[in-house]
C-alpha cells in the first residue's frame, strides 16, 4: 500500500541537527513505554515532564506499561477506573471486535470504536482502551498498518503499543521506523518499546536512542536499554560525538546521555561534569 508522508517536525523542536540524519547515511532511527493513563488526546507532542509529572515512558510504583501488559491486566486496570456508561461501552466494543475481527468492508466496526475511545473512555484511559480493542480484533500487521497510517497521533500510539503482542515478526517495523522519523515525543515513547527492542537492528536502534536524547524523551522509555547498550562501542562513539557537537554549539548535554554512555562501558566511562546536568 502507498503510505502518506510523515508529518513535519514539531514546531519548537531543538534547532540543532537531528542525529538521525547527522550520524547515518541511510533513512532513520505492557505496561513498557508509557503509563496506563493518557493525559492528552491531541496529536501534537507532549512536552518534557516537569518535576511533579511522570516522564513519558515511566510509571508510578505498582503499575505497568501499555506495551508489556497482558489484555487481562489492561482490562482490569481500565474497567476499575471507568464509570458505568464507559465500562458498558468498552465491553460492547470489545465484544464487537471479537465477533468481527480482521477487515470487513471499507472500515471495520472496531476501527470506529478506536476512533471513539477518547470521547467514550476519557483521556486517562483512551490509550489502553484502544489497545484492548486491537487485541480483541486480533489485528494483524496489515490491519495495524491501516489504522496507523489513517489514524490520529493517539491511534498511532495505540498501534505501537499493541505491536509486541500482535505481530511476532518484523512486519511492523515500518510503523516503528515512521514514528522514529517524527519529533512527536509521545509517539517516540511508544515506538521505543519492546517491539523495537526485539526487531530493530543495531544501526536503527542506536539512532532511536539518539533520537530520544535529541527530542528529550527519557531513556527510561527505551525497552531493554541496559542489555542492548552494554559493550556497544559504536553507540559510545556516537554519543561522544553528539555530546561534542552540543558542547561546541554552547548547548547543554542531556544527563541521560551520560547514563547511556556509562552503560556502554561502565569501567572506562568518566563521570559526567556537574554542569552537564544543569
Amino acid at each position: 500500500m502507498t503510505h502518506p508522508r510523515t508529518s513535519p517536525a514539531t514546531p519548537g523542536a531543538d534547532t540543532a541537527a537531528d542525529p538521525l540524519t547527522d550520524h547515518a547515511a541511510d533513512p532513520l532511527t505492557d505496561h513498557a513505554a508509557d503509563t496506563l493513563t493518557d493525559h492528552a488526546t491531541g496529536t501534537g507532542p507532549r512536552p518534557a515532564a516537569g518535576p511533579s509529572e511522570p516522564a513519558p515512558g515511566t510509571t508510578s510504583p505498582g503499575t505497568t506499561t501499555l506495551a508489556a501488559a497482558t489484555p487481562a491486566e489492561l482490562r482490569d486496570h481500565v474497567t476499575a477506573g471507568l464509570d458505568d456508561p464507559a465500562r458498558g461501552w468498552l465491553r460492547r466494543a470489545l465484544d464487537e471486535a471479537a465477533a468481527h475481527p480482521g477487515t470487513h468492508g471499507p472500515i471495520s466496526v472496531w476501527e470506529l470504536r478506536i476512533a471513539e475511545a477518547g470521547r467514550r473512555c476519557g483521556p486517562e484511559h483512551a490509550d489502553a482502551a484502544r489497545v484492548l480493542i486491537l487485541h480483541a480484533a486480533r489485528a494483524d500487521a496489515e490491519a495495524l498498518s491501516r489504522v496507523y497510517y489513517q489514524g490520529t497521533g493517539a491511534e498511532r500510539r495505540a498501534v505501537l503499543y499493541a505491536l509486541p503482542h500482535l505481530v511476532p515478526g518484523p512486519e511492523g517495523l515500518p510503523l516503528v521506523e515512521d514514528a522514529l522519523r517524527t519529533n512527536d515525543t509521545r509517539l517516540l515513547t511508544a515506538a521505543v518499546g519492546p517491539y523495537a527492542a526485539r526487531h530493530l537492528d543495531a544501526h536503527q536502534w542506536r539512532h532511536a536512542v539518539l533520537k530520544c536524547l535529541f527530542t528529550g524523551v527519557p531513556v527510561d522509555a527505551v525497552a531493554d536499554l541496559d542489555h542492548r547498550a552494554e559493550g556497544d562501542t559504536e553507540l559510545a562513539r556516537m554519543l561522544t560525538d553528539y555530546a561534542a557537537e552540543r558542547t561546541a554549539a554552547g548547548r547543554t548535554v542531556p544527563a541521560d546521555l551520560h547514563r547511556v554512555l556509562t552503560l556502554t562501558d561502565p569501567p572506562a566511562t568518566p563521570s559526567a561534569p556537574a554542569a552537564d546536568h544543569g
Side-chain angles (χ1 to χ4, degrees):
M1 62 186 293
T2 301
H3 297 161
R5 296 174 59 187
T6 309
S7 300
T10 304
D14 196 328
T15 55
D18 188 329
L20 288 182
T21 55
D22 260 11
H23 297 275
D26 56 353
L28 234 181
T29 1
D30 196 41
H31 309 343
D34 199 358
T35 57
L36 287 174
T37 56
D38 178 0
H39 299 287
T41 55
T43 60
R46 184 184 186 188
S52 63
E53 179 187 4
T58 63
T59 59
S60 301
T63 66
T64 49
T65 55
L66 284 168
T70 66
E73 290 170 334
L74 276 181
R75 187 163 184 169
D76 287 347
H77 175 88
V78 174
T79 55
L82 295 176
D83 58 21
D84 288 341
R87 194 178 297 119
W89 177 87
L90 181 60
R91 183 178 62 251
R92 291 189 297 274
L94 296 178
D95 289 345
E96 286 177 334
H100 304 286
T103 304
H104 298 273
I107 188 167
S108 301
V109 65
W110 56 266
E111 293 180 62
L112 298 175
R113 302 298 171 252
I114 285 175
E116 294 176 17
R119 177 165 53 89
R120 297 286 190 169
C121 296
E124 291 188 353
H125 302 290
D127 277 356
R130 293 184 181 103
V131 172
L132 282 172
I133 294 169
L134 290 169
H135 277 292
R138 302 188 291 281
D140 59 13
E142 181 179 356
L144 290 170
S145 294
R146 184 177 63 252
V147 173
Y148 180 92
Y149 285 111
Q150 295 178 0
T152 64
E155 290 159 20
R156 291 183 175 200
R157 286 199 308 272
V159 169
L160 295 168
Y161 289 134
L163 281 174
H165 292 298
L166 292 176
V167 183
E171 297 84 0
L173 271 179
L175 309 184
V176 174
E177 292 166 354
D178 181 85
L180 291 173
R181 284 190 288 266
T182 75
N183 284 337
D184 182 333
T185 57
R186 303 194 73 190
L187 204 60
L188 291 169
T189 298
V192 293
Y195 189 83
R198 192 157 65 228
H199 294 291
L200 283 178
D201 64 28
H203 177 82
Q204 293 173 311
W205 185 82
R206 291 177 189 125
H207 285 285
V209 173
L210 260 71
K211 188 62 178 270
C212 288
L213 294 172
F214 177 77
T215 56
V217 171
V219 295
D220 284 338
V222 181
D224 207 18
L225 175 67
D226 291 9
H227 174 72
R228 292 207 60 168
E230 184 178 4
D232 192 334
T233 56
E234 176 61 15
L235 177 60
R237 182 196 66 77
M238 294 166 66
L239 293 170
T240 301
D241 288 350
Y242 183 49
E245 292 172 7
R246 299 280 301 183
T247 301
R251 297 179 181 276
T252 302
V253 177
D256 269 357
L257 184 147
H258 298 290
R259 175 185 166 190
V260 181
L261 190 58
T262 299
L263 292 173
T264 64
D265 187 12
T269 305
S271 300
D276 287 342
H277 294 270

